[in-house]
Amino acid sequence: QVQLVESGGGLVQPGGSLRLSCVASGSFVSIYNMRWYRQAPGNQRELVAVISSGGSTNYGDSVKGRFTISRDSAKNTVYLQMNRLKPEDTAVYSCNADVQRSDGYPNAYWGQGIQVTVSS
């Protein structure tokens, strides 16, 4: 079994910063793409950022230039540095990873999600 656990969310004022972390644990061989998604009440889930195992990144248009995704493969961890936060960034943020399991089968896993609220 593979688990993803997010941390680092909370309440921040507009213009502030937060850093989210997501740690993968369990029985697996390797992790390929890792992603951050977010979903605000009444909205569809939105892809925020993705990073490949080689470090290539891609971002949603609404966060380009403000958010940075990175990973520490030795720690099985993906990060999301969020700067110049806006009230519209308020959402539940979830990490997602494509994992090669120890039994040889690939699968995608989700974290439980963490709340980020941007408000004065």
mmCIF file of all heavy atoms in Angstrom, residues 1-55:
data_model
loop_
_atom_site.group_PDB
_atom_site.id
_atom_site.type_symbol
_atom_site.label_atom_id
_atom_site.label_comp_id
_atom_site.label_asym_id
_atom_site.label_seq_id
_atom_site.Cartn_x
_atom_site.Cartn_y
_atom_site.Cartn_z
ATOM 1 N N GLN A 1 0.848 -1.193 0.000
ATOM 2 C CA GLN A 1 0.000 0.000 0.000
ATOM 3 C C GLN A 1 0.884 1.243 0.000
ATOM 4 O O GLN A 1 1.979 1.238 0.551
ATOM 5 C CB GLN A 1 -0.908 0.008 1.247
ATOM 6 C CG GLN A 1 -1.940 1.106 1.262
ATOM 7 C CD GLN A 1 -3.018 0.918 0.196
ATOM 8 O OE1 GLN A 1 -2.954 -0.025 -0.597
ATOM 9 N NE2 GLN A 1 -3.970 1.811 0.164
ATOM 10 N N VAL A 2 0.395 2.283 -0.655
ATOM 11 C CA VAL A 2 1.130 3.542 -0.763
ATOM 12 C C VAL A 2 0.273 4.656 -0.161
ATOM 13 O O VAL A 2 -0.928 4.723 -0.409
ATOM 14 C CB VAL A 2 1.454 3.864 -2.227
ATOM 15 C CG1 VAL A 2 2.166 5.204 -2.336
ATOM 16 C CG2 VAL A 2 2.309 2.755 -2.845
ATOM 17 N N GLN A 3 0.886 5.498 0.628
ATOM 18 C CA GLN A 3 0.179 6.632 1.223
ATOM 19 C C GLN A 3 0.869 7.938 0.840
ATOM 20 O O GLN A 3 2.099 8.001 0.779
ATOM 21 C CB GLN A 3 0.155 6.540 2.757
ATOM 22 C CG GLN A 3 -0.555 5.334 3.322
ATOM 23 C CD GLN A 3 0.348 4.111 3.374
ATOM 24 O OE1 GLN A 3 1.543 4.226 3.620
ATOM 25 N NE2 GLN A 3 -0.226 2.949 3.130
ATOM 26 N N LEU A 4 0.046 8.951 0.605
ATOM 27 C CA LEU A 4 0.537 10.302 0.369
ATOM 28 C C LEU A 4 -0.055 11.195 1.463
ATOM 29 O O LEU A 4 -1.270 11.179 1.682
ATOM 30 C CB LEU A 4 0.099 10.824 -0.996
ATOM 31 C CG LEU A 4 0.557 10.044 -2.230
ATOM 32 C CD1 LEU A 4 0.000 10.682 -3.498
ATOM 33 C CD2 LEU A 4 2.078 9.985 -2.299
ATOM 34 N N VAL A 5 0.800 11.947 2.120
ATOM 35 C CA VAL A 5 0.342 12.796 3.217
ATOM 36 C C VAL A 5 0.826 14.223 2.982
ATOM 37 O O VAL A 5 2.035 14.475 2.892
ATOM 38 C CB VAL A 5 0.854 12.292 4.577
ATOM 39 C CG1 VAL A 5 0.397 13.234 5.686
ATOM 40 C CG2 VAL A 5 0.358 10.882 4.834
ATOM 41 N N GLU A 6 -0.139 15.153 2.891
ATOM 42 C CA GLU A 6 0.177 16.561 2.685
ATOM 43 C C GLU A 6 0.329 17.291 4.017
ATOM 44 O O GLU A 6 -0.287 16.899 5.016
ATOM 45 C CB GLU A 6 -0.914 17.269 1.873
ATOM 46 C CG GLU A 6 -1.162 16.702 0.501
ATOM 47 C CD GLU A 6 -2.374 15.796 0.443
ATOM 48 O OE1 GLU A 6 -2.766 15.272 1.506
ATOM 49 O OE2 GLU A 6 -2.928 15.608 -0.655
ATOM 50 N N SER A 7 1.100 18.356 3.997
ATOM 51 C CA SER A 7 1.235 19.231 5.154
ATOM 52 C C SER A 7 1.572 20.634 4.679
ATOM 53 O O SER A 7 1.955 20.830 3.517
ATOM 54 C CB SER A 7 2.317 18.727 6.115
ATOM 55 O OG SER A 7 3.571 18.689 5.477
ATOM 56 N N GLY A 8 1.420 21.608 5.588
ATOM 57 C CA GLY A 8 1.833 22.970 5.287
ATOM 58 C C GLY A 8 0.724 23.934 4.949
ATOM 59 O O GLY A 8 0.983 25.116 4.706
ATOM 60 N N GLY A 9 -0.509 23.466 4.924
ATOM 61 C CA GLY A 9 -1.616 24.365 4.607
ATOM 62 C C GLY A 9 -1.958 25.271 5.771
ATOM 63 O O GLY A 9 -1.332 25.231 6.830
ATOM 64 N N GLY A 10 -2.973 26.117 5.564
ATOM 65 C CA GLY A 10 -3.404 27.005 6.625
ATOM 66 C C GLY A 10 -3.988 28.287 6.095
ATOM 67 O O GLY A 10 -4.373 28.377 4.919
ATOM 68 N N LEU A 11 -4.028 29.287 6.968
ATOM 69 C CA LEU A 11 -4.584 30.594 6.645
ATOM 70 C C LEU A 11 -3.442 31.584 6.416
ATOM 71 O O LEU A 11 -2.505 31.654 7.222
ATOM 72 C CB LEU A 11 -5.459 31.080 7.796
ATOM 73 C CG LEU A 11 -6.010 32.507 7.709
ATOM 74 C CD1 LEU A 11 -6.958 32.638 6.530
ATOM 75 C CD2 LEU A 11 -6.702 32.887 9.024
ATOM 76 N N VAL A 12 -3.536 32.324 5.336
ATOM 77 C CA VAL A 12 -2.508 33.313 5.009
ATOM 78 C C VAL A 12 -3.186 34.537 4.420
ATOM 79 O O VAL A 12 -4.245 34.435 3.778
ATOM 80 C CB VAL A 12 -1.463 32.717 4.031
ATOM 81 C CG1 VAL A 12 -2.097 32.347 2.705
ATOM 82 C CG2 VAL A 12 -0.279 33.644 3.847
ATOM 83 N N GLN A 13 -2.576 35.699 4.623
ATOM 84 C CA GLN A 13 -3.122 36.930 4.064
ATOM 85 C C GLN A 13 -2.796 37.055 2.586
ATOM 86 O O GLN A 13 -1.796 36.497 2.118
ATOM 87 C CB GLN A 13 -2.554 38.131 4.824
ATOM 88 C CG GLN A 13 -3.043 38.243 6.252
ATOM 89 C CD GLN A 13 -2.609 39.539 6.908
ATOM 90 O OE1 GLN A 13 -1.697 40.221 6.440
ATOM 91 N NE2 GLN A 13 -3.261 39.890 8.007
ATOM 92 N N PRO A 14 -3.610 37.778 1.845
ATOM 93 C CA PRO A 14 -3.294 38.017 0.433
ATOM 94 C C PRO A 14 -1.894 38.618 0.287
ATOM 95 O O PRO A 14 -1.499 39.492 1.066
ATOM 96 C CB PRO A 14 -4.372 39.014 -0.002
ATOM 97 C CG PRO A 14 -5.524 38.722 0.893
ATOM 98 C CD PRO A 14 -4.911 38.361 2.220
ATOM 99 N N GLY A 15 -1.174 38.110 -0.708
ATOM 100 C CA GLY A 15 0.203 38.534 -0.917
ATOM 101 C C GLY A 15 1.221 37.704 -0.178
ATOM 102 O O GLY A 15 2.431 37.838 -0.420
ATOM 103 N N GLY A 16 0.751 36.850 0.719
ATOM 104 C CA GLY A 16 1.645 36.018 1.503
ATOM 105 C C GLY A 16 2.081 34.754 0.775
ATOM 106 O O GLY A 16 1.774 34.557 -0.406
ATOM 107 N N SER A 17 2.808 33.916 1.512
ATOM 108 C CA SER A 17 3.369 32.687 0.950
ATOM 109 C C SER A 17 3.071 31.494 1.858
ATOM 110 O O SER A 17 2.921 31.648 3.074
ATOM 111 C CB SER A 17 4.889 32.815 0.794
ATOM 112 O OG SER A 17 5.226 33.857 -0.084
ATOM 113 N N LEU A 18 2.995 30.346 1.233
ATOM 114 C CA LEU A 18 2.905 29.069 1.935
ATOM 115 C C LEU A 18 3.695 28.039 1.150
ATOM 116 O O LEU A 18 3.837 28.158 -0.080
ATOM 117 C CB LEU A 18 1.456 28.587 2.048
ATOM 118 C CG LEU A 18 0.556 29.137 3.148
ATOM 119 C CD1 LEU A 18 -0.848 28.562 3.000
ATOM 120 C CD2 LEU A 18 1.118 28.848 4.522
ATOM 121 N N ARG A 19 4.184 27.031 1.861
ATOM 122 C CA ARG A 19 4.864 25.917 1.212
ATOM 123 C C ARG A 19 4.179 24.628 1.622
ATOM 124 O O ARG A 19 4.168 24.281 2.809
ATOM 125 C CB ARG A 19 6.332 25.868 1.612
ATOM 126 C CG ARG A 19 7.151 24.862 0.817
ATOM 127 C CD ARG A 19 8.476 24.621 1.474
ATOM 128 N NE ARG A 19 9.428 23.942 0.607
ATOM 129 C CZ ARG A 19 10.450 23.220 1.065
ATOM 130 N NH1 ARG A 19 10.639 23.088 2.366
ATOM 131 N NH2 ARG A 19 11.280 22.639 0.217
ATOM 132 N N LEU A 20 3.637 23.928 0.629
ATOM 133 C CA LEU A 20 3.016 22.633 0.869
ATOM 134 C C LEU A 20 4.037 21.524 0.633
ATOM 135 O O LEU A 20 4.901 21.641 -0.240
ATOM 136 C CB LEU A 20 1.825 22.429 -0.050
ATOM 137 C CG LEU A 20 0.712 23.471 -0.003
ATOM 138 C CD1 LEU A 20 -0.423 23.064 -0.944
ATOM 139 C CD2 LEU A 20 0.197 23.673 1.399
ATOM 140 N N SER A 21 3.886 20.452 1.408
ATOM 141 C CA SER A 21 4.717 19.264 1.224
ATOM 142 C C SER A 21 3.816 18.053 1.112
ATOM 143 O O SER A 21 2.723 18.016 1.695
ATOM 144 C CB SER A 21 5.659 19.072 2.415
ATOM 145 O OG SER A 21 6.517 20.170 2.594
ATOM 146 N N CYS A 22 4.277 17.055 0.381
ATOM 147 C CA CYS A 22 3.552 15.792 0.255
ATOM 148 C C CYS A 22 4.582 14.669 0.260
ATOM 149 O O CYS A 22 5.430 14.616 -0.628
ATOM 150 C CB CYS A 22 2.726 15.771 -1.016
ATOM 151 S SG CYS A 22 1.925 14.181 -1.353
ATOM 152 N N VAL A 23 4.466 13.806 1.259
ATOM 153 C CA VAL A 23 5.418 12.706 1.417
ATOM 154 C C VAL A 23 4.744 11.388 1.049
ATOM 155 O O VAL A 23 3.639 11.093 1.539
ATOM 156 C CB VAL A 23 5.938 12.631 2.864
ATOM 157 C CG1 VAL A 23 6.945 11.500 2.992
ATOM 158 C CG2 VAL A 23 6.560 13.952 3.274
ATOM 159 N N ALA A 24 5.417 10.617 0.226
ATOM 160 C CA ALA A 24 4.940 9.284 -0.139
ATOM 161 C C ALA A 24 5.637 8.239 0.718
ATOM 162 O O ALA A 24 6.847 8.311 0.931
ATOM 163 C CB ALA A 24 5.205 9.013 -1.607
ATOM 164 N N SER A 25 4.858 7.276 1.191
ATOM 165 C CA SER A 25 5.419 6.190 1.981
ATOM 166 C C SER A 25 4.709 4.898 1.614
ATOM 167 O O SER A 25 3.632 4.898 1.020
ATOM 168 C CB SER A 25 5.263 6.474 3.483
ATOM 169 O OG SER A 25 3.900 6.549 3.838
ATOM 170 N N GLY A 26 5.339 3.776 1.993
ATOM 171 C CA GLY A 26 4.747 2.489 1.698
ATOM 172 C C GLY A 26 5.677 1.632 0.868
ATOM 173 O O GLY A 26 6.892 1.835 0.854
ATOM 174 N N SER A 27 5.089 0.684 0.157
ATOM 175 C CA SER A 27 5.866 -0.280 -0.598
ATOM 176 C C SER A 27 5.797 0.042 -2.087
ATOM 177 O O SER A 27 4.782 -0.205 -2.737
ATOM 178 C CB SER A 27 5.322 -1.694 -0.337
ATOM 179 O OG SER A 27 6.064 -2.650 -1.045
ATOM 180 N N PHE A 28 6.862 0.614 -2.613
ATOM 181 C CA PHE A 28 6.896 0.929 -4.034
ATOM 182 C C PHE A 28 8.341 0.932 -4.518
ATOM 183 O O PHE A 28 9.280 1.027 -3.737
ATOM 184 C CB PHE A 28 6.228 2.279 -4.318
ATOM 185 C CG PHE A 28 6.765 3.431 -3.512
ATOM 186 C CD1 PHE A 28 7.845 4.167 -3.965
ATOM 187 C CD2 PHE A 28 6.170 3.792 -2.312
ATOM 188 C CE1 PHE A 28 8.334 5.232 -3.229
ATOM 189 C CE2 PHE A 28 6.648 4.856 -1.574
ATOM 190 C CZ PHE A 28 7.744 5.580 -2.025
ATOM 191 N N VAL A 29 8.477 0.871 -5.856
ATOM 192 C CA VAL A 29 9.795 0.836 -6.468
ATOM 193 C C VAL A 29 10.245 2.233 -6.850
ATOM 194 O O VAL A 29 11.387 2.619 -6.601
ATOM 195 C CB VAL A 29 9.784 -0.090 -7.712
ATOM 196 C CG1 VAL A 29 11.119 -0.027 -8.440
ATOM 197 C CG2 VAL A 29 9.440 -1.513 -7.307
ATOM 198 N N SER A 30 9.337 2.976 -7.471
ATOM 199 C CA SER A 30 9.689 4.326 -7.898
ATOM 200 C C SER A 30 8.431 5.162 -8.064
ATOM 201 O O SER A 30 7.329 4.644 -8.144
ATOM 202 C CB SER A 30 10.497 4.293 -9.201
ATOM 203 O OG SER A 30 9.749 3.656 -10.221
ATOM 204 N N ILE A 31 8.659 6.474 -8.117
ATOM 205 C CA ILE A 31 7.574 7.429 -8.327
ATOM 206 C C ILE A 31 7.862 8.205 -9.598
ATOM 207 O O ILE A 31 8.971 8.726 -9.784
ATOM 208 C CB ILE A 31 7.455 8.405 -7.142
ATOM 209 C CG1 ILE A 31 7.253 7.638 -5.836
ATOM 210 C CG2 ILE A 31 6.297 9.385 -7.374
ATOM 211 C CD1 ILE A 31 7.257 8.517 -4.603
ATOM 212 N N TYR A 32 6.896 8.296 -10.460
ATOM 213 C CA TYR A 32 7.077 9.013 -11.717
ATOM 214 C C TYR A 32 6.546 10.436 -11.564
ATOM 215 O O TYR A 32 7.053 11.196 -10.759
ATOM 216 C CB TYR A 32 6.401 8.243 -12.848
ATOM 217 C CG TYR A 32 6.954 6.849 -12.992
ATOM 218 C CD1 TYR A 32 6.152 5.713 -12.828
ATOM 219 C CD2 TYR A 32 8.302 6.640 -13.265
ATOM 220 C CE1 TYR A 32 6.678 4.444 -12.944
ATOM 221 C CE2 TYR A 32 8.834 5.367 -13.384
ATOM 222 C CZ TYR A 32 8.015 4.276 -13.226
ATOM 223 O OH TYR A 32 8.537 3.015 -13.340
ATOM 224 N N ASN A 33 5.541 10.804 -12.326
ATOM 225 C CA ASN A 33 5.009 12.158 -12.215
ATOM 226 C C ASN A 33 4.364 12.392 -10.850
ATOM 227 O O ASN A 33 3.690 11.516 -10.305
ATOM 228 C CB ASN A 33 3.969 12.418 -13.297
ATOM 229 C CG ASN A 33 4.574 12.465 -14.681
ATOM 230 O OD1 ASN A 33 5.748 12.710 -14.853
ATOM 231 N ND2 ASN A 33 3.737 12.209 -15.673
ATOM 232 N N MET A 34 4.572 13.587 -10.326
ATOM 233 C CA MET A 34 3.895 14.012 -9.091
ATOM 234 C C MET A 34 3.173 15.318 -9.403
ATOM 235 O O MET A 34 3.713 16.175 -10.126
ATOM 236 C CB MET A 34 4.893 14.188 -7.952
ATOM 237 C CG MET A 34 5.679 12.925 -7.638
ATOM 238 S SD MET A 34 6.723 13.063 -6.181
ATOM 239 C CE MET A 34 5.522 12.761 -4.866
ATOM 240 N N ARG A 35 1.985 15.462 -8.874
ATOM 241 C CA ARG A 35 1.139 16.597 -9.223
ATOM 242 C C ARG A 35 0.501 17.218 -7.989
ATOM 243 O O ARG A 35 0.309 16.554 -6.981
ATOM 244 C CB ARG A 35 0.019 16.169 -10.176
ATOM 245 C CG ARG A 35 0.481 15.441 -11.422
ATOM 246 C CD ARG A 35 -0.705 14.886 -12.183
ATOM 247 N NE ARG A 35 -0.280 14.034 -13.289
ATOM 248 C CZ ARG A 35 -0.003 12.733 -13.163
ATOM 249 N NH1 ARG A 35 -0.094 12.138 -11.985
ATOM 250 N NH2 ARG A 35 0.366 12.051 -14.226
ATOM 251 N N TRP A 36 0.157 18.475 -8.113
ATOM 252 C CA TRP A 36 -0.705 19.155 -7.155
ATOM 253 C C TRP A 36 -1.977 19.567 -7.882
ATOM 254 O O TRP A 36 -1.931 20.165 -8.948
ATOM 255 C CB TRP A 36 -0.031 20.384 -6.567
ATOM 256 C CG TRP A 36 1.030 20.076 -5.573
ATOM 257 C CD1 TRP A 36 2.382 20.048 -5.776
ATOM 258 C CD2 TRP A 36 0.845 19.751 -4.191
ATOM 259 N NE1 TRP A 36 3.035 19.723 -4.620
ATOM 260 C CE2 TRP A 36 2.113 19.543 -3.628
ATOM 261 C CE3 TRP A 36 -0.276 19.631 -3.364
ATOM 262 C CZ2 TRP A 36 2.296 19.207 -2.288
ATOM 263 C CZ3 TRP A 36 -0.099 19.302 -2.043
ATOM 264 C CH2 TRP A 36 1.172 19.100 -1.505
ATOM 265 N N TYR A 37 -3.101 19.257 -7.256
ATOM 266 C CA TYR A 37 -4.409 19.681 -7.725
ATOM 267 C C TYR A 37 -5.040 20.556 -6.639
ATOM 268 O O TYR A 37 -4.637 20.522 -5.483
ATOM 269 C CB TYR A 37 -5.332 18.490 -7.965
ATOM 270 C CG TYR A 37 -5.044 17.683 -9.199
ATOM 271 C CD1 TYR A 37 -4.112 16.658 -9.187
ATOM 272 C CD2 TYR A 37 -5.725 17.924 -10.395
ATOM 273 C CE1 TYR A 37 -3.849 15.909 -10.317
ATOM 274 C CE2 TYR A 37 -5.487 17.173 -11.535
ATOM 275 C CZ TYR A 37 -4.548 16.156 -11.490
ATOM 276 O OH TYR A 37 -4.309 15.417 -12.616
ATOM 277 N N ARG A 38 -6.046 21.293 -7.020
ATOM 278 C CA ARG A 38 -6.829 22.017 -6.034
ATOM 279 C C ARG A 38 -8.294 22.037 -6.449
ATOM 280 O O ARG A 38 -8.621 21.915 -7.626
ATOM 281 C CB ARG A 38 -6.318 23.450 -5.840
ATOM 282 C CG ARG A 38 -6.527 24.368 -7.039
ATOM 283 C CD ARG A 38 -5.873 25.722 -6.766
ATOM 284 N NE ARG A 38 -6.086 26.656 -7.862
ATOM 285 C CZ ARG A 38 -5.533 27.865 -7.916
ATOM 286 N NH1 ARG A 38 -4.708 28.277 -6.945
ATOM 287 N NH2 ARG A 38 -5.781 28.668 -8.930
ATOM 288 N N GLN A 39 -9.142 22.169 -5.439
ATOM 289 C CA GLN A 39 -10.578 22.257 -5.703
ATOM 290 C C GLN A 39 -11.204 23.193 -4.696
ATOM 291 O O GLN A 39 -11.104 22.987 -3.483
ATOM 292 C CB GLN A 39 -11.241 20.882 -5.625
ATOM 293 C CG GLN A 39 -12.691 20.894 -6.058
ATOM 294 C CD GLN A 39 -13.257 19.508 -6.269
ATOM 295 O OE1 GLN A 39 -12.741 18.516 -5.754
ATOM 296 N NE2 GLN A 39 -14.328 19.416 -7.060
ATOM 297 N N ALA A 40 -11.831 24.232 -5.212
ATOM 298 C CA ALA A 40 -12.567 25.177 -4.384
ATOM 299 C C ALA A 40 -14.046 24.788 -4.376
ATOM 300 O O ALA A 40 -14.511 24.137 -5.323
ATOM 301 C CB ALA A 40 -12.395 26.593 -4.925
ATOM 302 N N PRO A 41 -14.776 25.157 -3.365
ATOM 303 C CA PRO A 41 -16.207 24.816 -3.302
ATOM 304 C C PRO A 41 -16.946 25.291 -4.549
ATOM 305 O O PRO A 41 -16.799 26.447 -4.968
ATOM 306 C CB PRO A 41 -16.681 25.558 -2.056
ATOM 307 C CG PRO A 41 -15.486 25.681 -1.200
ATOM 308 C CD PRO A 41 -14.333 25.866 -2.150
ATOM 309 N N GLY A 42 -17.701 24.378 -5.149
ATOM 310 C CA GLY A 42 -18.479 24.724 -6.329
ATOM 311 C C GLY A 42 -17.708 24.690 -7.627
ATOM 312 O O GLY A 42 -18.285 24.917 -8.695
ATOM 313 N N ASN A 43 -16.390 24.431 -7.536
ATOM 314 C CA ASN A 43 -15.549 24.401 -8.734
ATOM 315 C C ASN A 43 -15.077 22.985 -9.038
ATOM 316 O O ASN A 43 -15.038 22.127 -8.159
ATOM 317 C CB ASN A 43 -14.324 25.298 -8.548
ATOM 318 C CG ASN A 43 -14.680 26.765 -8.544
ATOM 319 O OD1 ASN A 43 -15.841 27.138 -8.657
ATOM 320 N ND2 ASN A 43 -13.676 27.605 -8.408
ATOM 321 N N GLN A 44 -14.689 22.796 -10.289
ATOM 322 C CA GLN A 44 -14.078 21.523 -10.653
ATOM 323 C C GLN A 44 -12.642 21.467 -10.150
ATOM 324 O O GLN A 44 -12.003 22.498 -9.935
ATOM 325 C CB GLN A 44 -14.094 21.354 -12.181
ATOM 326 C CG GLN A 44 -15.481 21.119 -12.765
ATOM 327 C CD GLN A 44 -15.428 20.769 -14.236
ATOM 328 O OE1 GLN A 44 -14.501 21.169 -14.945
ATOM 329 N NE2 GLN A 44 -16.400 20.016 -14.708
ATOM 330 N N ARG A 45 -12.150 20.249 -9.983
ATOM 331 C CA ARG A 45 -10.763 20.079 -9.589
ATOM 332 C C ARG A 45 -9.857 20.608 -10.704
ATOM 333 O O ARG A 45 -10.094 20.357 -11.887
ATOM 334 C CB ARG A 45 -10.467 18.617 -9.312
ATOM 335 C CG ARG A 45 -9.077 18.365 -8.759
ATOM 336 C CD ARG A 45 -8.998 16.972 -8.175
ATOM 337 N NE ARG A 45 -9.266 15.969 -9.181
ATOM 338 C CZ ARG A 45 -9.598 14.710 -8.894
ATOM 339 N NH1 ARG A 45 -9.703 14.334 -7.621
ATOM 340 N NH2 ARG A 45 -9.814 13.838 -9.855
ATOM 341 N N GLU A 46 -8.824 21.308 -10.306
ATOM 342 C CA GLU A 46 -7.925 21.985 -11.242
ATOM 343 C C GLU A 46 -6.500 21.493 -11.038
ATOM 344 O O GLU A 46 -6.021 21.407 -9.897
ATOM 345 C CB GLU A 46 -7.998 23.496 -10.982
ATOM 346 C CG GLU A 46 -7.022 24.344 -11.742
ATOM 347 C CD GLU A 46 -7.010 25.798 -11.281
ATOM 348 O OE1 GLU A 46 -7.583 26.105 -10.214
ATOM 349 O OE2 GLU A 46 -6.410 26.638 -11.989
ATOM 350 N N LEU A 47 -5.811 21.191 -12.124
ATOM 351 C CA LEU A 47 -4.402 20.826 -12.047
ATOM 352 C C LEU A 47 -3.588 22.098 -11.814
ATOM 353 O O LEU A 47 -3.630 23.024 -12.627
ATOM 354 C CB LEU A 47 -3.946 20.127 -13.317
ATOM 355 C CG LEU A 47 -2.463 19.763 -13.389
ATOM 356 C CD1 LEU A 47 -2.078 18.786 -12.292
ATOM 357 C CD2 LEU A 47 -2.120 19.188 -14.759
ATOM 358 N N VAL A 48 -2.832 22.119 -10.742
ATOM 359 C CA VAL A 48 -2.030 23.288 -10.402
ATOM 360 C C VAL A 48 -0.631 23.191 -11.013
ATOM 361 O O VAL A 48 -0.151 24.129 -11.639
ATOM 362 C CB VAL A 48 -1.921 23.444 -8.871
ATOM 363 C CG1 VAL A 48 -1.002 24.604 -8.507
ATOM 364 C CG2 VAL A 48 -3.309 23.629 -8.253
ATOM 365 N N ALA A 49 0.012 22.029 -10.801
ATOM 366 C CA ALA A 49 1.381 21.876 -11.273
ATOM 367 C C ALA A 49 1.724 20.398 -11.327
ATOM 368 O O ALA A 49 1.156 19.589 -10.591
ATOM 369 C CB ALA A 49 2.360 22.613 -10.359
ATOM 370 N N VAL A 50 2.684 20.074 -12.195
ATOM 371 C CA VAL A 50 3.152 18.701 -12.327
ATOM 372 C C VAL A 50 4.664 18.718 -12.491
ATOM 373 O O VAL A 50 5.219 19.643 -13.099
ATOM 374 C CB VAL A 50 2.479 17.985 -13.511
ATOM 375 C CG1 VAL A 50 2.700 18.742 -14.819
ATOM 376 C CG2 VAL A 50 2.949 16.555 -13.638
ATOM 377 N N ILE A 51 5.316 17.708 -11.925
ATOM 378 C CA ILE A 51 6.758 17.554 -12.081
ATOM 379 C C ILE A 51 7.055 16.103 -12.404
ATOM 380 O O ILE A 51 6.517 15.188 -11.779
ATOM 381 C CB ILE A 51 7.512 18.027 -10.820
ATOM 382 C CG1 ILE A 51 9.018 17.989 -11.039
ATOM 383 C CG2 ILE A 51 7.102 17.234 -9.580
ATOM 384 C CD1 ILE A 51 9.822 18.733 -9.964
ATOM 385 N N SER A 52 7.901 15.894 -13.402
ATOM 386 C CA SER A 52 8.265 14.545 -13.812
ATOM 387 C C SER A 52 9.395 14.013 -12.931
ATOM 388 O O SER A 52 9.992 14.754 -12.133
ATOM 389 C CB SER A 52 8.697 14.549 -15.271
ATOM 390 O OG SER A 52 9.960 15.185 -15.398
ATOM 391 N N SER A 53 9.708 12.745 -13.117
ATOM 392 C CA SER A 53 10.812 12.163 -12.360
ATOM 393 C C SER A 53 12.139 12.798 -12.744
ATOM 394 O O SER A 53 13.081 12.816 -11.938
ATOM 395 C CB SER A 53 10.867 10.648 -12.595
ATOM 396 O OG SER A 53 10.956 10.369 -13.988
ATOM 397 N N GLY A 54 12.206 13.347 -13.948
ATOM 398 C CA GLY A 54 13.410 14.019 -14.397
ATOM 399 C C GLY A 54 13.482 15.492 -14.030
ATOM 400 O O GLY A 54 14.479 16.153 -14.300
ATOM 401 N N GLY A 55 12.401 16.001 -13.431
ATOM 402 C CA GLY A 55 12.405 17.392 -12.985
ATOM 403 C C GLY A 55 11.719 18.375 -13.910
ATOM 404 O O GLY A 55 11.673 19.578 -13.610
#
